[in-house]
Amino acid sequence: MTAISRIAPVRRLLGGLLLGGSALAAQPALAEEISIACGAGDAADYCPIAARQWAEETGHEVNIVSTPNDTTEKLSLYQQLLGSQSSDIDVIMVDIVWPGLLADHLVDLSEHLPEDATAGFFPALVENNTVDGRLVAMPWFTDAGLLYYRQDLLEKHGFEVPETWQELTEIAQAVQAAEREAGNDDFWGYTFQGRAYEGLTCNALEWVVSHGGGTIVDAEGNVTIDNARAAEALDLAASWIGTITPEGALNHTEEETRGIFQSGNALFLRNWPYVWSLASGEGSAVAGKVGMAPLPHGPEGEPAATLGGWNWAVSRYSEHPEIAADLVAFITSEAQQKAHAIQMGMNPTIEALYQDEEVLASNPSMSDFYATLTNGVPRPATVTATDYPRVSNAFFNRVHEVLSGNQDGAAAVQQLQGELRRLSRRW
């Protein structure tokens, strides 16, 4: 069960920064109580800090609601509360693929925020959070897929960072063979998230888009997956299994792949930005040896990185939607995002912060990550709305069949086209 506790307004300074951003006048005539669903309440959860600061600035009270870490469990909790039209929670933290799924239960924030509320945010993230012309969530922090590599091994064996998937394949083969000959039989060329789950959707979308194979479903709701470039991308990925990628990758998620790379047993890794500080930190076998770059592309495409991240929304059943929207504006303000980036290492959704000297001093890799975000690819969650879980499930299961050697790329995309077209009648 979720735990709800009242947090009295307190004045807080974080890291010497005076944090602000509330649109309401301080000390309102009538203080209200707002409930916000944060994370799991661990040390990495910045939400309670920001909520307390907002309460101090506005004079309102705030209830902190701890929610499960697991995204599936979190979504289930939200669906239960929203489905019952409960007013118990006013503000909720939503995954990047949930706006379309939950839109009917969320307030149009543009009705409560200034006209320029989204100015300066990454346009792709704002677009992702806009459903049928309604701004149902404000971007908070973002992620995108990245290529990690062993700089020391590339230099040792005379290679540059690959720009295409074919280059990655050939370099991985060569370095893997050399390292195994040198005595590391556990060394692999490339590791990625291959389990049949949402993470595989992220990986495979990057392969397909970067080959010029479309985005599974386009912005108008047309299913586009059945094409030769998409099939080529999946066939290439299947060729990695058992050659440059361990067969165990078929059951690997983010942490298993990070473990392989961070222990020194992989040349390349596809993962999210959180890996940087862990792989470069104390106790890592590869500290000081790691580089980070945009993901490669196919012969007919450009680099593509699937967008991840979290956003803030207001429940349609809130008794105080305007005040709740002000809390959303406060948490997603530039000052709060700057503190979040400096104190927690999270990636802002406001473009200017990637040129901020204090942010870059705390994490120099932020400047490199900016280019990746500008090429970020949202999953087709907004256009497919409540059917997105079915779309993703069909996609990652079909891709998994290709990776497992049970189907080739052409047959898989043809079958997937039919499955998704049947679903598309509901969009």
Side-chain angles (χ1 to χ4, degrees):
M1 297 295 293
T2 58
I4 303 179
S5 57
R6 176 171 295 180
I7 307 296
V10 293
R11 181 171 297 279
R12 294 181 64 109
L13 292 176
L14 181 60
L17 297 172
L18 181 62
L19 304 176
S22 175
L24 295 183
Q27 303 303 324
L30 180 63
E32 299 291 353
E33 182 177 291
I34 298 295
S35 293
I36 180 170
C38 291
D42 58 23
D45 189 2
Y46 182 78
C47 167
I49 297 173
R52 291 174 185 134
Q53 291 166 350
W54 172 83
E56 169 62 21
E57 286 204 6
T58 64
H60 294 295
E61 293 184 345
V62 63
N63 286 335
I64 308 296
V65 182
S66 295
T67 60
N69 247 338
D70 182 274
T71 54
T72 301
E73 293 178 9
K74 194 189 300 283
L75 176 60
S76 178
L77 171 65
Y78 289 165
Q79 289 176 317
Q80 180 181 0
L81 288 168
L82 296 172
S84 65
Q85 300 187 9
S86 170
S87 61
D88 289 346
I89 297 181
D90 301 280
V91 179
I92 62 175
M93 185 171 69
V94 298
D95 186 270
I96 195 170
V97 295
W98 294 349
L101 186 64
L102 301 178
D104 289 346
H105 300 286
L106 304 177
V107 163
D108 181 356
L109 293 171
S110 64
E111 296 179 355
H112 301 283
L113 300 180
E115 289 185 7
D116 63 350
T118 59
F121 287 78
F122 283 100
L125 299 178
V126 175
E127 181 181 351
N128 180 84
N129 294 347
T130 303
V131 181
D132 295 331
R134 300 170 60 246
L135 179 66
V136 299
M138 285 288 287
W140 185 32
F141 68 90
T142 187
D143 279 328
L146 292 165
L147 180 70
Y148 292 90
Y149 59 90
R150 287 283 300 278
Q151 181 66 52
D152 60 323
L153 293 182
L154 290 181
E155 292 175 357
K156 174 183 175 182
H157 297 286
F159 292 107
E160 301 290 333
V161 178
E163 295 186 1
T164 68
W165 290 112
Q166 187 58 42
E167 289 175 355
L168 179 145
T169 304
E170 294 169 1
I171 294 171
Q173 289 171 338
V175 175
Q176 177 180 300
E179 289 298 302
R180 289 189 176 187
E181 186 175 349
N184 187 355
D185 293 336
D186 295 325
F187 191 85
W188 291 94
Y190 182 48
T191 181
F192 65 89
Q193 299 78 51
R195 179 183 292 182
Y197 79 121
E198 186 66 23
L200 181 53
T201 289
C202 295
N203 278 256
L205 181 60
E206 291 162 349
W207 305 333
V208 170
V209 173
S210 68
H211 274 77
T215 56
I216 310 172
V217 178
D218 68 17
E220 286 71 45
N222 302 306
V223 181
T224 62
I225 190 61
D226 187 10
N227 65 83
R229 291 178 181 175
E232 178 187 354
L234 300 187
D235 285 333
L236 177 60
S239 75
W240 299 331
I241 303 297
T243 56
I244 61 171
T245 301
E247 292 187 4
L250 295 173
N251 199 38
H252 286 171
T253 64
E254 283 80 358
E255 282 299 274
E256 289 88 0
T257 59
R258 179 178 69 85
I260 294 171
F261 183 79
Q262 195 168 317
S263 64
N265 288 325
L267 176 64
F268 296 120
L269 162 71
R270 183 271 178 208
N271 215 309
W272 304 99
Y274 83 98
V275 169
W276 175 259
S277 60
L278 296 173
S280 304
E282 185 178 350
S284 169
V286 296
K289 305 174 181 178
V290 178
M292 185 176 70
L295 289 162
H297 59 83
E300 305 293 338
E302 299 292 333
T306 302
L307 290 173
W310 290 84
N311 312 270
W312 287 106
V314 173
S315 167
R316 221 180 82 194
Y317 314 109
S318 169
E319 295 177 358
H320 309 289
E322 184 172 357
I323 298 173
D326 183 71
L327 175 52
V328 167
F330 180 89
I331 295 179
T332 60
S333 68
E334 184 169 339
Q336 288 289 333
Q337 289 204 37
K338 179 175 178 176
H340 199 201
I342 292 172
Q343 299 297 326
M344 305 292 188
M346 305 308 262
N347 301 295
T349 58
I350 294 175
E351 294 190 73
L353 288 174
Y354 289 86
Q355 285 78 48
D356 185 279
E357 291 183 1
E358 292 178 280
V359 171
L360 294 179
S362 69
N363 187 351
S365 66
M366 287 278 188
S367 59
D368 297 326
F369 187 55
Y370 176 77
T372 296
L373 284 174
T374 58
N375 294 317
V377 178
R379 282 160 275 179
T382 300
V383 68
T384 58
T386 57
D387 280 322
Y388 176 72
R390 295 183 180 88
V391 171
S392 181
N393 189 278
F395 182 58
F396 67 63
N397 278 321
R398 198 54 47 208
V399 172
H400 198 265
E401 285 292 293
V402 177
L403 297 180
S404 302
N406 298 325
Q407 199 169 28
D408 65 21
V413 297
Q414 182 180 39
Q415 183 172 344
L416 186 60
Q417 184 85 6
E419 293 176 22
L420 298 186
R421 273 187 173 166
R422 287 190 290 274
L423 272 178
S424 69
R425 298 168 187 162
R426 300 150 49 106
W427 304 337

